[in-house]
Amino acid sequence: MTDDIAVVRHPRARRTRLSFDPVSGQARLTLPPRASLAKALAWARAQEAWIDHQRDRLPAARPFVPGATIPVDGKMLTIAWHADALRTPAVEGDRLVLGGLLESVPHRVERWLRRQALALLEQDTAFYAARAGVSVSGVTIGDARGRWGSCAHHGAIRYSWRLVLAPPAVRRATAAHEVAHRVHMNHAPVFHALVAELYGRDPRPERAWLRANGAALHWYGRSPG
């Protein structure tokens, strides 16, 4: 990384390319193996206006602090901290209530969200696996930046816990997609046909939602600056 631009030499790159990652908020300069770094950086610096424009378009950071609102399984919950409340978050109407140390609120809210995500995605996966007539060896969650789910050849499926922040239909469409990989480990037309069959309709609107709004989900739990 050079200053605020990440530099990557890619063995198959044929030209210098500048891109911007809305998840990390980082500009990325990709170079062919033998390209001049000095010339590439000089060119990238000349694109400062474009980089600034991309930064201005970044989603707002949404830290898990008292008073913040978060979408959980299609419902908006307001984080409510009370010194005499239980440490473990609990839903009370449209509030997520918790006590304990104030400085540990963000960490405990994220842990609660991860538990909710795992429980929901286990249910979704079991539903579509039964519909497809396949087995799934295990369901886990992580926080990958580049994908919302992955299915291993041995039958385990891993999801981003941030799907709990997405509309339920988006989360379920993702589960149907990954379960379909238990039958077809590719993205051929027959695979997409199976996803639609499992999900009950064409899931392209949900995939489009993730493309348009997915980056913003990664800014939940971040502090500004």
Side-chain angles (χ1 to χ4, degrees), residues 6-52:
V7 177
V8 177
R9 287 192 182 275
H10 197 287
R12 293 192 297 274
R14 295 186 177 182
R15 60 184 179 85
T16 299
R17 185 168 67 91
L18 183 65
S19 59
F20 192 86
D21 181 5
V23 173
S24 65
Q26 180 75 57
R28 179 187 178 102
L29 182 64
T30 303
L31 288 74
R34 297 184 180 182
S36 167
L37 176 59
K39 290 182 178 179
L41 278 174
W43 171 76
R45 298 294 180 203
Q47 314 307 313
E48 182 178 358
W50 180 83
I51 295 175
D52 289 344

Side-chain angles (χ1 to χ4, degrees), residues 91-175:
V91 176
E92 296 182 7
D94 61 355
R95 300 186 305 157
L96 184 63
V97 180
L98 73 164
L101 294 174
L102 183 59
E103 55 267 31
S104 69
V105 165
H107 176 64
R108 285 183 288 124
V109 168
E110 181 173 323
R111 284 198 304 174
W112 181 84
L113 286 168
R114 286 173 176 263
R115 291 195 298 271
Q116 300 305 304
L118 181 58
L120 288 167
L121 286 162
E122 284 178 334
Q123 293 173 12
D124 295 336
T125 302
F127 175 81
Y128 291 118
R131 180 171 284 187
V134 298
S135 63
V136 174
S137 61
V139 175
T140 57
I141 56 169
D143 196 14
R145 290 183 173 183
R147 56 174 57 185
W148 297 104
S150 61
C151 179
H153 285 278
H154 53 72
I157 295 179
R158 187 172 181 82
Y159 299 99
S160 167
W161 70 265
R162 295 178 184 276
L163 285 168
V164 74
L165 304 170
V170 171
R171 187 192 72 239
R172 293 177 187 133
T174 304

